[in-house]
Amino acid sequence: MMAVSSACKDGSNKLGMDNGKYVRYTPEQVEALERLYHDCPKPSSMRRQQLIRECPILSNIEPKQIKVWFQNRRCREKQRKEASRLQAVNRKLTAMNKLLMEENDRLQKQVSQLVCENSIFRQQTQNQATLATTDASCESVVTAGQHHLTPQHPPRDASPAGLLSIAEETLTEFLSKATGTAVEWVQMPGMKPGPDSIGIIAISHGCPGVAARACGLVGLEPTRVAEILKDRLSWFRNCRAVDVLNAMSTGNGGTIELLYMQLFAPTTLAPGRDFWLLRYTCVLEDGSLVVCERSLNNTQNGPTMPPVQHFVRADMLPSGYLIRPCEGGGSVIHIVDHMDLEPWSVPEVLRPLYESSALLAQRTTMAALRHLRQISQEVSQPNVTGWGRRPAALRALSQRLSKGFNEAVNGFADDGWSMLESDGIDDVTLLVNSSPSKMMGVNLCYANGFQSMSSSVLCAKSSMLLQNVPPAILLRFLREHRSEWADSSIDAYSAAAIKAGPCGLPGSQAGNFGGQVILPLAHTIEHEEFMEVIKLENMGYYREEMTMPGDVFLLQLCNGVDENAIGNCAELIFAPIDASFSDDAPILPSGFRIIPLDSLMGSASPNRTLDLASALEVGPTGSKASGDNSANCGSTKSVMTIAFQFAFGIHLQDNVAAMARQYVRSIIASVQRVALALSPSRFDSDSGFRPPPGTPEAQTLARWICQSYRWYLGVELLKSEGSESILKSLWHHSDAILCCSLKALQVFTFSNQAGLDMLETTLIALQDITLEKIFDDNGKKTLCSEFPQIMQQGFMCLQGGICLSSMGRPVSYERAVAWKVLNEEENAHCICFMFINWSFV
């Protein structure tokens, strides 16, 4: 070991000897060893002996000495990689520290400005108090004079010289927002800056419209960053089209462009937005690259853009990107998005979607930063991911899914969509698209062997308001329990519209959720979005009815599963795919989009389902729980948009339309039933969720559960140490662990995540479930007969059986264990059940 350590410090061309002396290798010997190292960094004893035989120049070296050389070589390689990693981390921390110092300077300026404004406000208040004693007629004169002096904004000159003036003004205003105090920025709730964070995210407070700002680091050069960000269609999922209608160069080497941009509406209940923009690109004196934009809604003597049907003209205030080269490579980027989205044009209940800076930050500002970080990661690590696809190919697929779903939700006439007549009930809207581009490559196959080329696509869509159910929880349920809302015959019909082909499936890392196997494909940066392939099972019956592939696959995009993200939109978008998974395969996306409304206007909504500590932590009198949860259990609203697409032959339009209406209505009914089951509305929203008197803190309860298990069964329940790790391990334990009270009506008081999944409930609604409700008749008989044994002996082992979730679904378990949970005074506090190897039947 001493020889190895010394050689690591000494160099690559020294030979370690047993007596501690070293002999230098010749260059030829080093070259031969290096060749083998690149082929096999850790050769076996036989391989080393073979090397000596094949290379005469190594014949005078003992196999043991060659073994030491390889150990030293691996040691140096490891040290070199670690040094490179630490240098990269140091560069990132240095750049982040610079960003934070700039942010601190900006905040100090903002504080000074607020102090000055406060002094002026106090002076104005004193003056108004003095003026209040004057004659009322004088006050009228003053008021009239002030009204007369209100500035009116004349049309701006849009000639080339006027556009240059507007561009320079836009640049100045943008920089004042990006690095100055023109906007009062507040930190985005739940987004703490740090070396592992996406960046410094802020939203506006008290300014016109909605605004968001992001500062971050990306491993791309400034020109590449600007090129990516200017191509909005490649990263902004809500962007429908961007057309550059005119461009001109400026004397300082900059470029002015006139753009027309259209944005999709997020729901069927609102129109899309469009913008008539000026974009100015230039390089500052310090070498920074700037791309800034603003609307040209009030101009004359130049190009204009008339209103477009089905779109509301929105206003983009000075916004853009400030890109600075970073020492050691990469860029430091400041992103500002500032818009007035004209919320007056939508129903009042939907106006939070257009008045929320948090939603703008999530869907636009942070999306840009995430896309840049993902591109940077792909450049540095161009690995092949799921199904042999590179990250760029998977990203293109996710873009196709998202854009196809947005097109279905909006149904614009210039995309080929036309509306069908209603059946008298306006809950579901039907549209038909017969454009050739929509139907390219799609065909239907029938059992008689004839193929009929599909000539149209039908879309059934609807939107509805939901209350008291977090979007992330509902989305996870829809993803993991597809059989609760989907119809297998409809899935089979959709799959039959896609050409069949051979396919080999990856067999690892698959999760089974009630008739479906989820095969992960890829995650994006920060795991905000992931894509997967769903293999639907139990489809044998439908294969006999129509010609279709041996397996049914869905390509699925999921995002918004983080309950703590403010303004986060939850989406589950999927499309049947050809088993060959070709890049040009037709995709007809369908799915769900859930956008919170109330939380957009307020503070963060804590994770009610997964945050065990906050749900159980109470003070001596329980007042803390009441105060902390009262805001969380009140009424929360969200809007859910559903859109499903079906390919069909034109002669089947009436039949497919009737089927689509009925199917979407059945999905709406299923979603409403699930939302009601997941809703905590049965509790008093004013008082909040109050744990039973005497419930200990989460850490204490976790310790009691584990200590009692060890006391009665003689083995450890968890492989962890320390109270914090006990709670975390218990919460993430793979088996369902539930506690019920010892009162006459035995209700559940605690469950880990697996237990909540098994019962299909939330931690809030858990108290509404009694012990007897989850067992079938045999289970109830066994429990009644064996319960005295639990109280007397302290524990009991139950054979495998069937229990029921809160939604009535049967759950099988291999075996179960029940034991008394003792408190510090060794008195029985509750009964704990552990269901081992459970699964839905």
Side-chain angles (χ1 to χ4, degrees):
M1 293 300 295
M2 290 178 61
V4 173
S5 301
S6 301
C8 278
K9 299 176 182 178
D10 236 8
S12 63
N13 58 345
K14 293 186 178 181
L15 175 64
M17 308 292 289
D18 291 341
N19 57 6
K21 297 180 180 179
Y22 299 91
V23 177
R24 290 184 179 275
Y25 290 97
T26 65
E28 293 78 10
Q29 290 174 332
V30 172
E31 183 180 356
L33 292 171
E34 286 287 350
R35 282 198 304 269
L36 178 60
Y37 179 82
H38 289 298
D39 294 336
C40 180
K42 197 172 183 178
S44 63
S45 176
M46 294 181 61
R47 185 72 182 89
R48 293 194 299 269
Q49 292 176 0
Q50 181 184 357
L51 176 67
I52 294 176
R53 290 194 301 268
E54 294 175 352
C55 299
I57 58 176
L58 300 176
S59 58
N60 63 331
I61 303 177
E62 297 292 332
K64 182 178 180 181
Q65 297 166 355
I66 293 182
K67 178 180 180 181
V68 170
W69 186 93
F70 275 94
Q71 289 175 338
N72 298 341
R73 184 66 175 81
R74 291 193 300 271
C75 177
R76 288 194 305 277
E77 184 74 18
K78 184 177 180 181
Q79 290 175 344
R80 185 160 49 246
K81 290 181 179 179
E82 181 65 13
S84 177
R85 186 188 68 83
L86 292 175
Q87 288 175 357
V89 171
N90 182 64
R91 288 195 299 268
K92 186 174 182 179
L93 290 174
T94 301
M96 182 63 72
N97 181 61
K98 183 178 179 180
L99 269 179
L100 292 174
M101 291 175 64
E102 291 177 356
E103 182 69 5
N104 185 56
D105 291 341
R106 188 193 66 81
L107 291 174
Q108 289 180 352
K109 293 178 182 178
Q110 186 171 334
V111 169
S112 301
Q113 182 176 338
L114 290 175
V115 170
C116 181
E117 291 176 357
N118 184 51
S119 176
I120 295 174
F121 176 76
R122 288 184 176 180
Q123 184 65 35
Q124 290 177 345
T125 304
Q126 294 175 358
N127 294 340
Q128 290 174 359
T130 303
L131 291 174
T133 61
T134 62
D135 187 72
S137 60
C138 294
E139 182 179 350
S140 301
V141 171
V142 172
T143 304
Q146 290 177 344
H147 179 74
H148 179 72
L149 295 175
T150 300
Q152 301 293 326
H153 297 287
R156 300 292 299 270
D157 180 19
S159 64
L163 291 178
L164 179 59
S165 175
I166 295 175
E168 294 293 344
E169 180 183 318
T170 302
L171 173 63
T172 301
E173 293 186 33
F174 160 67
L175 292 177
S176 68
K177 296 176 183 179
T179 60
T181 60
V183 173
E184 182 181 349
W185 300 110
V186 296
Q187 181 177 302
M188 177 88 165
M191 298 296 298
K192 295 182 179 179
D196 297 324
S197 68
I198 188 175
I200 304 173
I201 313 298
I203 56 178
S204 62
H205 175 69
C207 75
V210 291
R213 189 192 67 165
C215 308
L217 312 172
V218 292
L220 301 169
E221 295 304 313
T223 53
R224 176 62 175 149
V225 173
E227 177 186 345
I228 293 172
L229 292 176
K230 291 171 74 171
D231 183 15
R232 268 197 178 91
L233 287 172
S234 68
W235 59 267
F236 189 20
R237 299 290 176 87
N238 280 7
C239 186
R240 179 176 183 247
V242 177
D243 296 322
V244 179
L245 302 182
N246 200 353
M248 57 177 283
S249 300
T250 62
N252 59 0
T255 303
I256 295 177
E257 299 167 290
L258 300 183
L259 313 176
Y260 176 65
M261 180 174 68
Q262 292 180 342
L263 302 185
F264 289 112
T267 173
T268 62
L269 303 175
R273 295 298 189 265
D274 66 349
F275 297 84
W276 173 233
L277 301 172
L278 176 145
R279 181 165 68 192
Y280 181 37
T281 306
C282 65
V283 179
L284 302 182
E285 293 180 357
D286 62 357
S288 299
L289 183 59
V290 175
V291 180
C292 55
E293 299 172 324
R294 79 174 309 156
S295 286
L296 292 175
N297 290 345
N298 187 24
T299 59
Q300 63 182 7
N301 302 328
T304 60
M305 176 58 64
V308 178
Q309 189 178 12
H310 305 305
F311 285 91
V312 172
R313 183 62 50 85
D315 187 21
M316 179 180 289
L317 287 76
S319 307
Y321 318 105
L322 170 62
I323 312 164
R324 298 172 176 171
C326 185
E327 297 180 5
S331 305
V332 178
I333 181 170
H334 297 253
I335 303 176
V336 173
D337 290 301
H338 193 178
M339 303 179 184
D340 183 354
L341 297 173
E342 305 294 343
W344 57 266
S345 62
V346 300
E348 186 174 356
V349 69
L350 295 181
R351 289 182 185 175
L353 299 181
Y354 299 87
E355 297 174 340
S356 168
S357 295
L359 185 61
L360 178 69
Q362 284 280 358
R363 297 185 67 83
T364 307
T365 316
M366 294 169 62
L369 201 52
R370 286 196 186 98
H371 183 75
L372 290 171
R373 286 166 58 92
Q374 186 174 0
I375 296 293
S376 175
Q377 187 181 68
E378 292 171 7
V379 170
S380 61
Q381 302 173 2
N383 297 326
V384 175
T385 58
W387 285 40
R389 294 302 193 272
R390 292 190 177 276
L394 293 177
R395 189 175 66 252
L397 279 174
S398 69
Q399 287 278 5
R400 289 181 62 190
L401 280 173
S402 183
K403 183 176 181 180
F405 182 74
N406 277 325
E407 288 177 346
V409 169
N410 286 262
F412 292 117
D414 56 354
D415 284 334
W417 293 102
S418 59
M419 187 178 299
L420 295 182
E421 292 184 3
S422 172
D423 63 348
I425 307 175
D426 295 331
D427 57 338
V428 178
T429 302
L430 297 186
L431 298 98
V432 171
N433 192 328
S434 301
S435 61
S437 61
K438 192 73 176 174
M439 294 310 307
M440 189 175 297
V442 180
N443 68 82
L444 284 177
C445 308
Y446 300 99
N448 59 11
F450 292 97
Q451 291 190 348
S452 174
M453 200 67 186
S454 300
S455 57
S456 301
V457 171
L458 184 141
C459 175
K461 60 182 183 178
S462 180
S463 292
M464 60 180 175
L465 294 177
L466 301 174
Q467 286 198 346
N468 299 338
V469 56
I473 297 176
L474 179 56
L475 184 88
R476 285 207 303 265
F477 184 93
L478 294 174
R479 171 180 174 262
E480 298 175 4
H481 303 280
R482 183 179 179 86
S483 60
E484 289 293 323
W485 55 268
D487 188 330
S488 299
S489 63
I490 304 298
D491 289 330
Y493 172 87
S494 299
I498 305 300
K499 293 180 179 180
C503 174
L505 286 178
S508 61
Q509 298 181 349
N512 198 318
F513 292 105
Q516 64 189 49
V517 178
I518 296 182
L519 307 167
L521 277 182
H523 281 79
T524 61
I525 293 295
E526 317 301 332
H527 295 266
E528 293 289 337
E529 176 184 283
F530 56 90
M531 193 161 57
E532 56 201 3
V533 171
I534 308 297
K535 176 185 175 183
L536 300 181
E537 298 181 325
N538 304 322
M539 304 296 290
Y541 171 79
Y542 303 104
R543 295 193 189 102
E544 299 175 359
E545 297 297 319
M546 61 184 74
T547 303
M548 60 180 291
D551 294 303
V552 175
F553 299 103
L554 299 177
L555 181 64
Q556 183 163 278
L557 180 70
C558 182
N559 58 49
V561 296
D562 182 7
E563 297 171 62
N564 291 321
I566 304 303
N568 211 8
C569 170
E571 291 180 326
L572 185 68
I573 305 173
F574 47 86
I577 58 169
D578 185 352
S580 64
F581 201 33
S582 59
D583 293 335
D584 58 348
I587 292 180
L588 293 180
S590 303
F592 308 89
R593 173 180 291 150
I594 317 170
I595 309 177
L597 296 174
D598 292 349
S599 63
L600 297 178
M601 306 303 294
S603 59
S605 175
N607 186 328
R608 294 191 289 108
T609 300
L610 304 182
D611 192 354
L612 170 63
S614 64
L616 290 182
E617 187 175 357
V618 295
T621 62
S623 59
K624 185 178 187 295
S626 175
D628 287 350
N629 292 286
S630 60
N632 303 337
C633 296
S635 176
T636 58
K637 297 178 182 177
S638 57
V639 58
M640 182 178 198
T641 298
I642 304 172
F644 279 74
Q645 298 189 78
F646 308 93
F648 68 97
I650 193 64
H651 61 287
L652 296 175
Q653 176 170 312
D654 293 340
N655 294 335
V656 174
M659 175 271 293
R661 276 198 181 98
Q662 181 180 356
Y663 185 45
V664 172
R665 283 169 181 164
S666 69
I667 291 175
I668 292 174
S670 299
V671 168
Q672 290 173 336
R673 174 175 54 85
V674 171
L676 182 63
L678 296 177
S679 170
S681 59
R682 290 178 289 248
F683 294 93
D684 183 3
S685 61
D686 294 330
S687 61
F689 170 62
R690 300 176 183 271
T695 299
E697 295 181 355
Q699 306 285 0
T700 305
L701 179 59
R703 188 175 70 251
W704 288 354
I705 292 172
C706 296
Q707 287 178 349
S708 301
Y709 186 87
R710 181 174 62 250
W711 174 265
Y712 287 115
L713 283 85
V715 294
E716 294 288 346
L717 177 62
L718 306 172
K719 304 296 183 181
S720 60
E721 297 179 359
S723 59
E724 184 174 357
S725 60
I726 287 177
L727 176 59
K728 184 176 180 181
S729 300
L730 188 70
W731 181 248
H732 295 291
H733 198 284
S734 59
D735 296 323
I737 300 175
L738 305 101
C739 293
C740 71
S741 63
L742 291 173
K743 298 178 181 180
L745 182 63
Q746 294 175 316
V747 296
F748 288 105
T749 58
F750 161 73
S751 171
N752 67 348
Q753 180 61 65
L756 295 177
D757 292 340
M758 186 186 78
L759 295 183
E760 296 184 291
T761 186
T762 66
L763 198 60
I764 300 296
L766 185 66
Q767 262 198 169
D768 204 35
I769 303 175
T770 61
L771 180 61
E772 65 175 11
K773 281 184 179 180
I774 73 167
F775 287 103
D776 58 7
D777 293 337
N778 292 332
K780 291 177 183 177
K781 293 177 182 178
T782 302
L783 187 65
C784 291
S785 61
E786 300 293 343
F787 194 80
Q789 179 183 346
I790 302 178
M791 301 306 298
Q792 182 178 0
Q793 181 177 317
F795 74 99
M796 177 184 65
C797 295
L798 300 173
Q799 295 182 351
I802 300 291
C803 62
L804 302 175
S805 73
S806 63
M807 301 184 67
R809 295 182 66 193
V811 180
S812 67
Y813 56 92
E814 185 178 296
R815 56 192 175 92
V817 180
W819 68 96
K820 276 195 304 186
V821 177
L822 305 180
N823 58 19
E824 303 291 354
E825 291 77 23
E826 297 188 0
N827 296 324
H829 175 73
C830 62
I831 299 293
C832 190
F833 289 85
M834 181 167 65
F835 296 89
I836 301 170
N837 292 338
W838 64 272
S839 63
F840 289 105
V841 178

